Amino acid sequence: MCGNITSIPVKDSVTLVSDSALTYLWSDGSTGQSITVSGTGQYLVTVLDLNGCPAISSIVTTYQQQQPDLQVHTDSILVCSVGMNFEFTNISNFEPGSQWLWDFGDGNYSNETSPEHIYDTPGQYLVTYQCISPIGCNGSDSIPVTVQFEPLATADFTINTEVNHIFGIPFQFTDASINATSWNWEFGDGGVGTGQLETHRYSEIKQYFVTLTVTNTDGCESDTTKPLFVSPVYVPNAFTPDGDGKNDTFYDVGYGTGPFQMDVDCYEMLIFNRWGQLVYRTNSPNRPWDGTMSNGKPAPLGVYLYKILIEIKADNEVNHVKETFVGTVTLLR
């Protein structure tokens, strides 16, 4: 036993074995080729080797390896849209090279010394952890953890219409979110809102993207974005007031029915014949021209000049819009 081993950890017991020789004398008085020892101690063996020469081994020190002294600190933080993240800080006293096994109580495991774990479901969990030293000394313990967080919010909303003309009624936005406790709207033109029901009027013809961001009780956010389009007003160039229920009036944009109804502060439409004489005048978009003259008689077939002045309702001065449409319309029967 003339090796270089000088220190051996002992779990329960260890057997020290000498190289082959003619005789053996261990420091504890044993005379066999091997001895089994436990606990802490120092040992050497004196031999008469196979050549008849005496030899003395180096001193072998054994020491009793203690069970791991396990201690763990926990800390947690809510990770929005994911769950509760727990940090397990290991402050145990254990042998270098020891192996660790963590069971987080939700079907997940780790071999790290100080792991982190995210619980995605609230509840009570029993975390068990085990340390195995290089020679097999085993220590285990457990710690209960409470996972508590509010259900996550899911942002959603509806729009009364995804397309409306520039002079139509305001767009109406209705919250349809789940588990929301606060609401923040961005209407795509700099306008904002904080209610569950919002209306908004746009001043430019273009596509907009509306974003709703909601939070739950814990302050975790969720957002969603939807498009809408503000279209121009199209004025037809002909109409047929023949009483068939199709294209009988000029100019009707659907006032009073549905989301395409006109909603304005000021409206005036003037119709002139080819000689510049005023044939029809109205200051309400719900009274389009039905092809009759001021005396109640049907207007002659032909081309007429129209002038339409529209002033939109304004939420503020920025959204104030005035438009004048001038053109010709042909009356057909």
Side-chain angles (χ1 to χ4, degrees), residues 50-70:
L50 299 178
N51 296 320
C53 298
I56 301 176
S57 71
S58 60
I59 296 175
V60 176
T61 299
T62 62
Y63 62 92
Q64 184 70 46
Q65 191 170 78
Q66 302 296 318
Q67 293 287 99
D69 179 17
L70 305 183

Side-chain angles (χ1 to χ4, degrees), residues 15-298:
T15 299
L16 306 179
V17 182
S18 170
D19 295 335
S20 297
L22 297 176
T23 62
Y24 310 90
L25 179 60
W26 292 87
S27 54
D28 67 349
S30 300
T31 58
Q33 185 177 1
S34 64
I35 60 173
T36 299
V37 299
S38 61
T40 300
Q42 289 187 331
Y43 305 89
L44 60 79
V45 62
T46 301
V47 301
L48 188 64
D49 67 19
L50 299 178
N51 296 320
C53 298
I56 301 176
S57 71
S58 60
I59 296 175
V60 176
T61 299
T62 62
Y63 62 92
Q64 184 70 46
Q65 191 170 78
Q66 302 296 318
Q67 293 287 99
D69 179 17
L70 305 183
Q71 296 184 63
V72 170
H73 287 170
T74 63
D75 192 16
S76 63
I77 186 172
L78 178 64
V79 182
C80 289
S81 77
V82 177
M84 185 75 73
N85 184 61
F86 276 79
E87 296 181 357
F88 299 91
T89 303
N90 197 332
I91 58 173
S92 305
N93 182 18
F94 58 92
E95 290 291 326
S98 296
Q99 294 182 337
W100 287 86
L101 176 62
W102 295 78
D103 181 347
F104 298 114
D106 64 347
N108 291 285
Y109 304 88
S110 176
N111 295 113
E112 297 181 11
T113 302
S114 294
E116 295 185 22
H117 181 62
I118 293 179
Y119 292 91
D120 59 9
T121 304
Q124 297 281 341
Y125 298 89
L126 184 64
V127 180
T128 59
Y129 49 99
Q130 182 180 21
C131 177
I132 304 174
S133 75
I135 65 169
C137 288
N138 189 322
S140 63
D141 203 347
S142 62
I143 182 172
V145 297
T146 300
V147 179
Q148 184 174 357
F149 56 88
E150 295 299 319
L152 298 175
T154 302
D156 192 18
F157 64 93
T158 60
I159 312 175
N160 61 331
T161 178
E162 294 180 358
V163 179
N164 200 355
H165 60 77
I166 187 69
F167 298 114
I169 64 174
F171 286 88
Q172 181 172 296
F173 306 94
T174 304
D175 172 58
S177 304
I178 300 173
N179 300 322
T181 58
S182 70
W183 301 263
N184 287 283
W185 301 85
E186 297 179 13
F187 297 116
D189 63 348
V192 296
T194 58
Q196 287 184 267
L197 177 64
E198 292 282 344
T199 59
H200 190 71
R201 194 185 302 272
Y202 293 90
S203 60
E204 293 185 38
I205 297 170
K206 59 184 289 188
Q207 186 178 38
Y208 295 89
F209 293 91
V210 179
T211 298
L212 171 62
T213 302
V214 299
T215 60
N216 69 350
T217 303
D218 289 329
C220 293
E221 293 185 349
S222 173
D223 64 74
T224 187
T225 299
K226 296 184 180 182
L228 57 81
F229 185 72
V230 179
S231 69
V233 170
Y234 297 100
V235 181
N237 58 13
F239 75 114
T240 57
D242 53 10
D244 66 353
K246 299 178 181 179
N247 199 28
D248 283 333
T249 59
F250 175 87
Y251 153 70
D252 184 358
V253 294
Y255 182 88
T257 58
F260 295 99
Q261 61 186 284
M262 187 170 284
D263 185 32
V264 296
D265 264 344
C266 182
Y267 179 89
E268 184 181 49
M269 181 173 69
L270 306 174
I271 306 294
F272 302 90
N273 62 19
R274 72 176 73 182
W275 295 285
Q277 296 171 322
L278 181 65
V279 175
Y280 182 76
R281 180 178 184 273
T282 180
N283 59 4
S284 175
N286 68 339
R287 292 200 298 271
W289 185 35
D290 62 2
T292 60
M293 302 182 66
S294 58
N295 58 10
K297 296 182 179 182

